Amino acid sequence: MAYNRNSNSEPEFIYVLGNKTVKTGQTVTLSCEANTSEVTAKWEKAGYRLQCVEGKHRVHKKGTRFSLEIMNAKQEDEANYTITLQNHSGSVSCSAMVTVELTDWRPLETQQEPMIMALKNFKICSGEVRELRFLLHGPIGAGKSSIINTLKSIFEGHQFINCLTGSDSTGTSFTTKYEKFTIGTLPFAFYDVMGLESNEGKQSRGVRIDDIINAFKGHIPDNYKFREDMPMIEEHRDYITSPTINNKIHCLVSVIPADRLSMMSEDVINKMRNIRAEASKLGIPQLVFMTRVDKVCELTSENLGKIYQSKKIREKITMCSNKLGVTENCIFPVKNYHNEIRSNEQLNCLALQALTQIVYSANDYIKRWSSRQKQFE
C-alpha cells in the first residue's frame, strides 16, 4: 500500500506505538508508521526530550517508519515514551509505556496440588492443641472475610460466598460477631473481627483494641457480639476466666489493601501498630496479607504469575513494611476471588503460599508453648 509522501501532507499515524514489557537486560523496540516521510521526529521520555546515549539508544527512520531501540533494559528505562512527528502542515504525537520486569525477587510456587496435599496432611506439633487459630484484622473493605471465602473455595472445590464481606461503597463491616470459620476438615480456625476505623472525635468506631487483646488471651467465646461502645469485661457472663491454649490465638494476620495503603488514616495505622505490639508481648507471630494487588499493577492484573517481577508490588510491600513495622518477608501479596466464577491456579497458589506460612508460624508458637509447659512439669 502506498502512502502519501508529499511534504504538504499533515502528518498522521498509520499505526502507533504499542506498550511493551521487557525483562532486565533485554532490548525493546518501539515503532510506528506515518502517512508521510517528510517530517522531523522528536522522542521524549516521561515528558522530557530523550537524551540518546551511545550503546543504549538507537533511533531509526526508514521511509515512513520510525523506531526507537532501547538496549540492555534496566529499571531506570521504565517510562512512558512519546514520539512527535512534525512538518510545516502540523504535528502529531503518540505514546507507549515500557515496563521493565524485575527478576523474580521472591520464589512463587506455580503448582497448587503439592501445597494442598501438604496442608491436608499437616499435623499440629502438640496433641493438646485441637486446631491452629488465626485472627484476621484490618480496615473495613480490606478483604478479611474474602480471604476466608477464597481459602474455602480452594479446599471445598466451589466458589464459597457464605462469609459476608464488607461493603466498599458504604464503608460498612458485616462482621459483628467473633465468629469461627473452618476449612473442610483441616485443623485450622479463622476468626474475623469488625474492621478497624478512624475515631471521629471521641466516638469509638469499629472493633476495640481491648477486644482484640482479650481474643489473643482466649477470654472471648465464639459468637460473642462485639459492641463499639463497650469492650468485653471480666464481669460479662460469657467471659472465659481460665482460657486454655485452645482458646487463645496462635497467629495474628493483618490484612491490608494494596490500592488503599497510601490513603489509610494514621489513626488506623496506629491502631494496627498497637495491636501488633500487644501480640508481640504475648509472643504471638504476626504476618500480613496484602490484598487487591491486581488494582495497583497492570502487569499483575494481567498475569498473577508475574507478581514477584512487579516493581509496583515490591514498592507497596516496602511501604507496608514501613507503615506497620513488619519485615518484608512477613508480607504476602494475595488476590481474593471477587468476580471470578472459575478456579484460578495462580490466584490459588498465592493464597496457599500465604496460608502455609501462617500455619508454620502458628505451629512454631505451639512448639514454644509446649516447651515452656514441659519446663514446669
Side-chain angles (χ1 to χ4, degrees):
M1 182 175 180
Y3 299 117
N4 188 352
R5 298 170 183 268
N6 194 313
S7 60
N8 293 322
S9 299
E10 182 176 349
E12 296 178 5
F13 286 109
I14 304 303
Y15 67 80
V16 298
L17 303 176
N19 294 339
K20 294 293 183 72
T21 298
V22 63
K23 293 183 180 296
T24 302
Q26 292 183 338
T27 295
V28 60
T29 302
L30 299 174
S31 59
C32 62
E33 185 166 0
N35 64 335
T36 175
S37 61
E38 300 300 324
V39 291
T40 58
K42 180 180 72 173
W43 288 91
E44 293 182 346
K45 174 185 176 183
Y48 296 93
R49 189 177 185 90
L50 178 65
Q51 301 297 321
C52 290
V53 177
E54 187 176 354
K56 180 67 178 179
H57 305 103
R58 189 177 296 150
V59 173
H60 297 277
K61 177 184 177 184
K62 186 176 181 180
T64 56
R65 297 184 180 184
F66 302 84
S67 62
L68 168 66
E69 229 180 333
I70 305 170
M71 292 162 280
N72 189 23
K74 299 184 182 300
Q75 278 301 302
E76 54 266 30
D77 296 317
E78 183 169 295
N80 197 60
Y81 290 82
T82 301
I83 183 172
T84 299
L85 304 180
Q86 185 173 18
N87 62 18
H88 66 274
S89 297
S91 65
V92 65
S93 300
C94 66
S95 300
M97 182 69 191
V98 171
T99 301
V100 181
E101 294 181 352
L102 297 174
T103 53
D104 291 350
W105 41 270
R106 184 184 290 181
L108 172 64
E109 297 291 338
T110 57
Q111 296 184 334
Q112 63 183 22
E113 286 307 318
M115 289 187 283
I116 289 174
M117 292 306 300
L119 289 164
K120 284 184 175 179
N121 295 326
F122 181 83
K123 302 295 182 184
I124 300 173
C125 63
S126 171
E128 296 182 55
V129 180
R130 296 189 298 270
E131 59 193 9
L132 299 178
R133 292 161 59 104
F134 308 100
L135 179 66
L136 304 177
H137 83 122
I140 287 175
K144 301 183 298 300
S145 300
S146 294
I147 285 172
I148 298 170
N149 288 340
T150 295
L151 293 174
K152 291 176 79 69
S153 297
I154 294 171
F155 284 93
E156 297 183 16
H158 63 89
Q159 294 297 309
F160 195 90
I161 55 175
N162 288 356
C163 180
L164 292 175
T165 58
S167 167
D168 291 345
S169 59
T170 63
T172 301
S173 176
F174 279 115
T175 306
T176 58
K177 296 191 298 183
Y178 189 58
E179 191 171 358
K180 173 181 174 180
F181 295 92
T182 57
I183 302 173
T185 59
L186 298 178
F188 313 140
F190 288 84
Y191 285 84
D192 193 4
V193 296
M194 295 173 67
L196 293 167
E197 297 185 56
S198 295
N199 290 339
E200 295 181 358
K202 295 183 179 179
Q203 181 184 2
S204 179
R205 296 172 58 85
V207 68
R208 298 179 63 97
I209 293 179
D210 325 51
D211 282 334
I212 291 182
I213 295 171
N214 277 326
F216 287 162
K217 297 178 178 179
H219 295 306
I220 295 186
D222 292 357
N223 296 314
Y224 167 74
K225 188 170 183 178
F226 295 108
R227 292 181 56 180
E228 293 184 346
D229 60 332
M230 182 182 297
M232 166 69 90
I233 56 176
E234 291 186 37
E235 290 73 22
H236 194 285
R237 66 177 183 276
D238 295 325
Y239 186 88
I240 301 174
T241 54
S242 301
T244 68
I245 188 64
N246 286 297
N247 301 120
K248 298 179 180 181
I249 292 298
H250 308 136
C251 183
L252 172 67
V253 181
S254 302
V255 183
I256 295 291
D259 61 329
R260 302 173 189 171
L261 181 57
S262 59
M263 298 179 289
M264 284 177 60
S265 73
E266 283 301 313
D267 191 25
V268 170
I269 293 293
N270 287 334
K271 284 182 179 181
M272 297 188 75
R273 282 179 169 271
N274 291 337
I275 290 167
R276 287 194 60 250
E278 293 297 330
S280 296
K281 291 177 185 177
L282 298 170
I284 298 172
Q286 305 143 46
L287 292 94
V288 177
F289 285 8
M290 193 172 73
T291 59
R292 299 170 64 91
V293 292
D294 56 313
K295 304 296 184 183
V296 298
C297 175
E298 183 177 345
L299 176 69
T300 298
S301 179
E302 293 174 354
N303 186 349
L304 281 172
K306 294 186 176 182
I307 192 166
Y308 291 133
Q309 297 171 6
S310 168
K311 180 181 179 182
K312 291 181 181 177
I313 297 300
R314 183 152 196 181
E315 287 173 350
K316 288 293 182 180
I317 287 178
T318 299
M319 181 187 296
C320 183
S321 173
N322 292 336
K323 281 182 176 287
L324 293 185
V326 182
T327 58
E328 292 188 12
N329 62 356
C330 290
I331 302 173
F332 292 85
V334 296
K335 181 185 184 305
N336 292 321
Y337 281 109
H338 177 57
N339 55 9
E340 297 85 356
I341 59 173
R342 295 181 179 178
S343 179
N344 181 318
E345 186 162 15
Q346 292 179 337
L347 185 156
N348 292 351
C349 283
L350 285 175
L352 289 166
Q353 203 166 7
L355 174 60
T356 299
Q357 190 59 53
I358 64 173
V359 164
Y360 281 104
S361 296
N363 201 48
D364 287 342
Y365 172 82
I366 298 300
K367 285 180 183 178
R368 294 194 298 272
W369 172 83
S370 297
S371 178
R372 289 195 299 270
Q373 291 298 106
K374 290 177 181 179
Q375 291 178 4
F376 294 103
E377 291 179 354

